[in-house]
Amino acid sequence: MKLSHPGRKRLLLLTACSVATGMVFSARVWAQNAPAPVIVPAAPATGAGPIIPGGSAATPEAQAVHIEKIKKFYHELLLKEKNIANAVSSVGHKQIEAEGEQAGSIQSLLKQTPSVNEYQQNIGQGVPVLTVRGVRNSQLAQTLDGIPMQDLISGSQGAFLNNNVGSPITLGQLSATTVYPGVAPPDKQGFATVGGTIAYETKKPTSKPYAEIFGGIGSFDTTHAGFEINTGRIGSGIDAPRALLRYNQQYTAGFPDGNSIRSGDMLFSIVKPYDEGLSHLSGTILFNRADGYISAFSIPVPLQQANSYSYNFPHSLSFTKENNKYLTAILSDETYINPHLIVSGKLFMIRSSSDFTSFMNPYAPGTYSLDPNFPYQVNFQVPYLGYGALGPTAVANGVATNPEAYAPGFFTYDPFMFAPAGCSPTNPTCYSYGESAEQINNHSTTIGFTPKVNIFLPHNDITIGGLVAKESSSGQSFMYATPNMPNEIGNNSFGFGGGIQRTIYSAYLQDKINLLHNRLHLLPGVTFTGIYTSNITQFSLQGLPGKLQNWGAVAEPYFGISYDLPYHMVAYASYGKSARFAPATDYSRGSAGSTTHAPTPEIVHLYEAGLRYDTARLYLNGDIYYQKINDQFSFYTNYQTLLSFYANTGSSQYRGYEFSGKYRLTHDIELFGNASYTKANYLNNFFAQDTPFEGQFGYVFKGNPLAAIPNWLGNFGVEYDRGPFSARLSGQYTGQQYITFDLPPVLPNTPVIVPGVPNGALALATAPYYPSGPANLAQALGGQPPVQNFKLPGYILMNLFLSYKLRLHGYDHIQYLKFSLNIHNLLGLHYYQHYFLSPAEIPNGAGGFVNTPTYASAFVGIPRSIFFNVTARF
C-alpha cells in the first residue's frame, strides 16, 4: 500500500513534531506505559519519518486510521527515545489508573520512577513533599503541556504553607507525565531548575466519541463523582474539530484526623486540525479548587502513641485551613509550513489564589500559653512564639522595639485587650491571647508566550524557542484573637499592599546532529535567560515601605551525545548547566532602613552517563550521575527582631546511580522494576532550609548528608492484562534517611558570627543529627550534650490494583461498566514519613523559654486504604 502525497505529508508532520520535541524513534522503543508492542520501521536519517509498508492503494479512511494509530503511539510512548542522551522516565495511563484518582496526587504518581521520593500527610492532593535525586520540589521545573506550571516568583506550586491542597492539574486530568532528572535538553528543560523537570500532559479529545459517568467510595469517608464527554470528530473529514469536557468533585474526611478536604476539578479541551490535518489549533482550560485542613506542624509521637495512629490536635485547640483556586488557559497553534519548517506557539494564562487561616486557642488546657508542663509544640505557624508586644499598649509601656508596632494609618490593633485578667502589659506571653489567629490572602496572575520554530535538514534537526512571561502577585495578612476576624487595613493588618512582579525573557537554541549513518547523535544547545524582579512593600511588621528591584541574567549550555551500539544497545552521556532564580520574597528591607538584595541565582552542573538496551520485549537502563549546586540560597532569621537575611553561601552535591527495566514475560504478563541510590552532602557550613518540606531551618555543616533524603529507593511489580481483566501488584521501597534535631529557640551565651549576617543568638537552629564533628559542634552551640546518630528506618509499601470491564450485550447505549479496586499499603504497615527531634518552645513569661525535654515529632504514613470505583461508558 502506497500513501498519497497528503498521507505522506501527514506522517512527515507527525515525525517532524516528534523530532521537535525530542521524540524521533529509531527502531523499536519502549515506555513504562506501553500497551502491546507496536512496531514502527526505522526512520531515515533525514528525519522523514516512519513509512508504513503495504500495498499500492489506500482509502482516506485507512490513511486516517494509520495516522491515528501513530499519533497514539507517539503520545503514549512519550519521550522514551531509543538514543536520547538523558535518563528519562515516563508515566502513562496504566500507572495513573493504578495510583488512583481518589488516593494519589500528581506528585505521588512520580514515585513509581527512579530517584523520586514523595510523601504527603493526606490522601489526594494533600501537602505533597517531593524530591528528585535529593533535590526538592521548590528547585524543580514543572511544565504543563509545555508551559511553565510552577510559580515563577517563588519556584514551586505548593510551597511551605502555601497552596498545599489542590493543584493546577489533577490525576484525572492527566494523560501522561515525564520526569527529566538533572538537566534536560533546552527544549524540555522548563524554567529555573537545579535538579530536574517534570512535564505533565493533559487529556486531549479523541476522534471517536464517548461519554462516561464515574464515581467511587473509599477509606476515610472518601467519595467522588463526575463525568467525561468526548465529542469525537464534529463533522466529517480529518479537519473536523473535537472537544473534551471533564468534571469531578471529591470529599474526604482525611488523614490524620480532622484534615478533611473538599475539591472539584474541571477540564475543557478542544482541537481543530486544518490544512488536511497537517496543522492544528487547540485550546485547554482547567479550573481546579480545593478547600481543606492541613497539619502545619508534625504531630508529637508520644501523643500518637497515647491516643491513636491517626491522632491530630482537635480543631478546638488548633487548626490550619487553606482555600485554593487554580485557573489555567492555554491557546496553542502548530503550523506546517513545508517539509523543512514547522512554526508553533502557545499563549497562556495562569491565575491562582490562596486563602490561609490558622488558629490556636490560648485558653485551651495544654497550650503553651497556660501550661508550661505540656511539653509539645501545638502549632508551628500561629502564633509563632507570639508576635510579642504590639499596638498602643506596647508603645505606652515602652516595650515595642519596632516603629511599626504602633503606626496610625498602618497598624493600630492592640492584642493586649484580649489578655485575661492579671496579665501585665510588660509580659509578652499575654499578647498571644490577641494573636491567636491569622489570615493570609494571596493571589497571582501569570501571562506568557512560548514561540518555537523547528527546522529539518538532512542531518540536523534545529529547534529555536523561547519564553516571555510576567507574573504579578500581591496579598494581605491579618492577626486577631479569633479566626472570624475583621480584616481591616490600618488596624489589624500586619502586612498589606505593594506587590511582586517578575518578567522573564528566555531563548534557547538546540541542534540534533545525526552522523555516521545515523548512529552517532550530538545534541548541543544553550539557553539565555534574563529576569527583571521588583518587590514593592507598602507595610509589614518586618519591613519599611519601599521598592526593591533587580535585573539578572544567565547562560545555560547543554551538550548530549549518544551512540547506537550493536545488539540494540545505546551508550549516552550529557553535561548541562542550569540556574534557579531567588524567590522574589528574598528582596527585603530591614527595620533600620538597610536593604538586602535577593541572592544571585543558584547554579547546578550536571554530568551523566548511561547504557540502554532496548527491544520490543526487554528494556534495560543504567546510568550514573553527579550534580553540584553552587551559590545555594541561604537565609538567617533573628526572631528577636523578626528580620531575615538572604545570601548565596551554600553548596551541595548529589551523586548516585539508577537502574530500570521491563520484561514482557508473556503476551499477558509483564514484569517491571527500578532502583536508585542517592548520596547528597553539604559542601560547606551555612544557614539553610534543611528539609524538603522547608518547615525547618538552621545551621548545616560541611560533609553532612542532607536530611530526609533516602539513600535507596526502588519499585518492583507485575502487571497482568487479559481480555476484560487487568491487575497490577507493585511494591515501593523507601530506604533509610537521616533525621534533623532542633536546638532550643533561644540559646544564651552562644553568639554566632556569620559573614554578612548581623551578630545574634542562634534562634531555632536546626542541624542534621549525626554522631561526630558537626553534630557535636551543633550541640556545643546549644550547650547540650552530644547526641547519637539516628536514621529513620526504611519501609516497603505494597499496592494492588484490579479492574474488570463488563460488556453489556443488548444495551445499545452502554458500551461497558468498568469496576476497579485500588488498595494502597496492602499490608497495613505503620511507618514514619518525616521524623525529627525537637524541644517544646514554651514561653516562660519573662521573655525566655521553659527548659523542656526533647521529644520526637513526626508525620505518620497513610495506613491501609481501599477505594472502589465504577465507570459507565456510553
Side-chain angles (χ1 to χ4, degrees):
M1 178 183 68
K2 295 183 179 179
L3 291 179
S4 63
H5 180 64
R8 291 196 301 271
K9 287 171 64 181
R10 295 187 190 104
L11 290 177
L12 171 61
L13 171 67
L14 291 171
T15 303
C17 293
S18 300
V19 173
T21 57
M23 295 193 300
V24 181
F25 294 90
S26 41
R28 303 168 187 255
V29 288
W30 188 276
Q32 294 182 3
N33 60 311
V38 182
I39 299 175
V40 177
T46 60
I51 305 299
I52 299 178
S56 59
T59 64
E61 291 77 14
Q63 295 174 23
V65 169
H66 283 303
I67 291 170
E68 291 303 320
K69 285 183 178 179
I70 295 177
K71 283 183 179 179
K72 181 180 179 181
F73 180 67
Y74 278 93
H75 175 70
E76 288 183 340
L77 294 180
L78 290 170
L79 301 162
K80 297 291 287 186
E81 184 188 356
K82 183 176 179 181
N83 50 36
I84 192 168
N86 293 79
V88 180
S89 299
S90 61
V91 180
H93 170 72
K94 287 187 177 181
Q95 287 128 307
I96 295 173
E97 190 176 37
E99 184 68 17
E101 186 173 351
Q102 292 170 275
S105 67
I106 61 171
Q107 288 84 9
S108 67
L109 175 71
L110 307 178
K111 195 172 182 180
Q112 301 180 44
T113 64
S115 295
V116 174
N117 186 41
E118 188 272 349
Y119 67 84
Q120 53 196 71
Q121 61 175 253
N122 208 339
I123 68 168
Q125 202 69 40
V127 200
V129 179
L130 178 71
T131 60
V132 177
R133 291 180 175 175
V135 181
R136 64 190 60 168
N137 188 41
S138 62
Q139 297 173 297
L140 304 174
Q142 300 172 65
T143 62
L144 177 62
D145 288 346
I147 68 168
M149 190 181 84
Q150 82 265 31
D151 189 336
L152 304 182
I153 287 176
S154 67
S156 67
Q157 289 282 358
F160 175 59
L161 299 180
N162 181 38
N163 297 104
N164 291 121
V165 293
S167 171
I169 187 170
T170 65
L171 278 179
Q173 298 167 333
L174 272 181
S175 67
T177 306
T178 305
V179 180
Y180 301 87
V183 178
D187 67 330
K188 292 302 175 188
Q189 189 176 128
F191 168 72
T193 174
V194 289
T197 302
I198 302 168
Y200 297 102
E201 293 187 19
T202 59
K203 286 184 174 179
K204 300 297 181 185
T206 62
S207 58
K208 293 184 178 181
Y210 65 85
E212 289 183 348
I213 299 176
F214 51 83
I217 60 174
S219 301
F220 318 112
D221 297 327
T222 302
T223 59
H224 85 114
F227 65 87
E228 183 170 313
I229 300 173
N230 180 72
T231 65
R233 287 192 181 129
I234 305 174
S236 60
I238 196 170
D239 285 346
R242 52 190 185 272
L244 175 71
L245 175 64
R246 187 182 196 278
Y247 178 77
N248 177 61
Q249 63 179 21
Q250 178 169 310
Y251 170 79
T252 179
F255 181 87
D257 297 338
N259 280 1
S260 61
I261 297 178
R262 188 180 305 274
S263 61
D265 54 86
M266 185 275 294
L267 164 68
F268 177 72
S269 178
I270 186 169
V271 177
K272 174 61 176 76
Y274 61 95
D275 189 21
E276 297 186 86
L278 295 173
S279 308
H280 65 270
L281 180 69
S282 63
T284 302
I285 297 176
L286 299 99
F287 178 69
N288 300 334
R289 55 182 175 82
D291 187 357
Y293 294 88
I294 69 172
S295 296
F297 194 73
S298 53
I299 310 302
V301 171
L303 292 180
Q304 295 170 341
Q305 296 173 339
N307 293 276
S308 69
Y309 186 73
S310 62
Y311 175 80
N312 191 11
F313 292 112
H315 290 175
S316 60
L317 178 61
S318 176
F319 69 80
T320 300
K321 185 177 182 180
E322 291 192 22
N323 186 344
N324 302 323
K325 298 181 178 68
Y326 311 86
L327 173 63
T328 305
I330 306 171
L331 178 64
S332 63
D333 178 73
E334 189 172 73
T335 302
Y336 172 87
I337 305 298
N338 57 50
H340 303 289
L341 182 64
I342 293 178
V343 178
S344 59
K346 296 181 180 181
L347 288 169
F348 64 92
M349 186 275 290
I350 302 174
R351 181 172 175 82
S352 65
S353 64
S354 177
D355 296 328
F356 175 100
T357 302
S358 195
F359 168 72
M360 185 168 67
N361 187 347
Y363 291 95
T367 61
Y368 69 66
S369 296
L370 287 180
D371 187 1
N373 296 317
F374 185 74
Y376 306 120
Q377 185 74 18
V378 178
N379 193 311
F380 178 80
Q381 182 66 14
V382 181
Y384 187 70
L385 309 179
Y387 288 98
L390 303 172
T393 306
V395 173
N397 288 273
V399 294
T401 57
N402 297 328
E404 294 88 354
Y406 176 68
F410 290 95
F411 184 82
T412 58
Y413 174 65
D414 185 4
F416 184 76
M417 64 183 177
F418 290 95
C423 257
S424 166
T426 59
N427 183 350
T429 305
C430 292
Y431 285 86
S432 64
Y433 293 91
E435 301 169 1
S436 57
E438 73 174 337
Q439 290 185 3
I440 303 174
N441 309 314
N442 292 306
H443 58 85
S444 65
T445 301
T446 303
I447 57 173
F449 176 53
T450 58
K452 185 164 67 173
V453 176
N454 299 105
I455 303 171
F456 305 100
L457 302 175
H459 299 285
N460 300 72
D461 302 320
I462 301 172
T463 304
I464 304 172
L467 168 67
V468 180
K470 179 179 182 179
E471 180 174 353
S472 303
S473 176
S474 62
Q476 303 169 348
S477 53
F478 303 87
M479 69 165 62
Y480 207 66
T482 65
N484 299 319
M485 65 178 71
N487 294 341
E488 299 179 2
I489 292 178
N491 177 29
N492 64 326
S493 55
F494 59 101
F496 70 89
I500 299 174
Q501 291 187 351
R502 172 164 283 174
T503 304
I504 299 165
Y505 306 94
S506 182
Y508 63 84
L509 172 64
Q510 176 181 299
D511 186 12
K512 183 174 183 181
I513 307 169
N514 303 303
L515 303 173
L516 302 180
H517 304 287
N518 202 34
R519 300 184 69 87
L520 177 64
H521 313 277
L522 306 179
L523 187 63
V526 64
T527 302
F528 299 95
T529 302
I531 289 184
Y532 170 76
T533 306
S534 67
N535 186 355
I536 302 175
T537 303
Q538 294 294 352
F539 167 75
S540 72
L541 291 181
Q542 290 80 20
L544 294 172
K547 178 179 180 180
L548 299 174
Q549 53 191 340
N550 176 264
W551 166 264
V554 66
E556 305 168 6
Y558 172 90
F559 181 78
I561 181 172
S562 65
Y563 187 80
D564 297 345
L565 297 169
Y567 306 108
H568 309 288
M569 291 192 298
V570 175
Y572 61 90
S574 62
Y575 161 79
K577 173 187 173 183
S578 188
R580 176 199 175 206
F581 291 83
T585 51
D586 288 4
Y587 295 67
S588 61
R589 185 180 292 272
S591 62
S594 61
T595 298
T596 300
H597 293 286
T600 58
E602 290 181 323
I603 301 294
V604 67
H605 295 272
L606 164 75
Y607 304 87
E608 181 178 323
L611 183 66
R612 184 180 296 118
Y613 177 84
D614 192 346
T615 68
R617 188 167 188 175
L618 176 64
Y619 170 82
L620 296 172
N621 181 81
D623 64 85
I624 186 170
Y625 65 87
Y626 175 80
Q627 297 173 192
K628 181 180 179 182
I629 299 179
N630 296 322
D631 301 322
Q632 196 162 344
F633 300 150
S634 61
F635 80 104
Y636 168 80
T637 293
N638 188 324
Y639 281 97
Q640 296 177 346
T641 61
L642 297 179
L643 292 179
S644 297
F645 304 90
Y646 302 87
N648 292 91
T649 60
S651 182
S652 56
Q653 65 180 7
Y654 308 78
R655 297 168 288 172
Y657 36 85
E658 302 160 328
F659 305 96
S660 59
K662 203 164 190 180
Y663 177 64
R664 186 172 293 279
L665 185 63
T666 69
H667 180 74
D668 304 322
I669 301 175
E670 195 167 72
L671 307 176
F672 59 87
N674 61 63
S676 58
Y677 174 80
T678 300
K679 186 176 183 180
N681 300 82
Y682 294 109
L683 297 179
N684 66 326
N685 306 344
F686 66 102
F687 285 98
Q689 292 174 317
D690 54 8
T691 60
F693 184 52
E694 301 184 349
Q696 296 170 275
F697 76 91
Y699 203 68
V700 297
F701 301 92
K702 180 179 179 179
N704 279 358
L706 274 67
I709 304 298
N711 289 129
W712 285 99
L713 294 167
N715 291 270
F716 56 91
V718 58
E719 193 172 89
Y720 174 81
D721 284 288
R722 185 182 179 95
F725 296 97
S726 180
R728 181 183 177 94
L729 177 65
S730 62
Q732 291 183 336
Y733 173 71
T734 302
Q736 294 182 343
Q737 52 190 291
Y738 286 97
I739 70 165
T740 56
F741 179 86
D742 281 3
L743 299 177
V746 172
L747 306 177
N749 303 319
T750 55
V752 177
I753 301 176
V754 180
V757 177
N759 298 343
L762 180 61
L764 188 64
T766 304
Y769 191 43
Y770 307 115
S772 63
N776 293 334
L777 174 59
Q779 293 302 296
L781 287 174
Q784 305 294 318
V787 296
Q788 295 182 350
N789 179 38
F790 184 81
K791 278 187 176 182
L792 186 65
Y795 54 88
I796 296 179
L797 300 180
M798 299 300 299
N799 303 315
L800 177 66
F801 171 73
L802 302 171
S803 72
Y804 176 74
K805 286 184 179 180
L806 176 63
R807 300 285 179 177
L808 299 177
H809 302 288
Y811 294 87
D812 296 336
H813 300 294
I814 302 179
Q815 297 184 37
Y816 59 78
L817 293 176
K818 182 176 181 179
F819 305 92
S820 62
L821 183 69
N822 293 77
I823 305 179
H824 288 251
N825 193 0
L826 178 66
L827 304 180
L829 179 69
H830 284 191
Y831 62 100
Y832 295 111
Q833 301 181 105
H834 177 61
Y835 189 103
F836 67 98
L837 300 179
S838 175
E841 298 156 16
I842 302 174
N844 61 11
F849 295 85
V850 177
N851 185 17
T852 57
T854 295
Y855 66 94
S857 188
F859 285 126
V860 297
I862 299 173
R864 181 189 297 112
S865 50
I866 304 173
F867 304 94
F868 177 73
N869 293 276
V870 179
T871 299
R873 173 168 283 208
F874 303 90

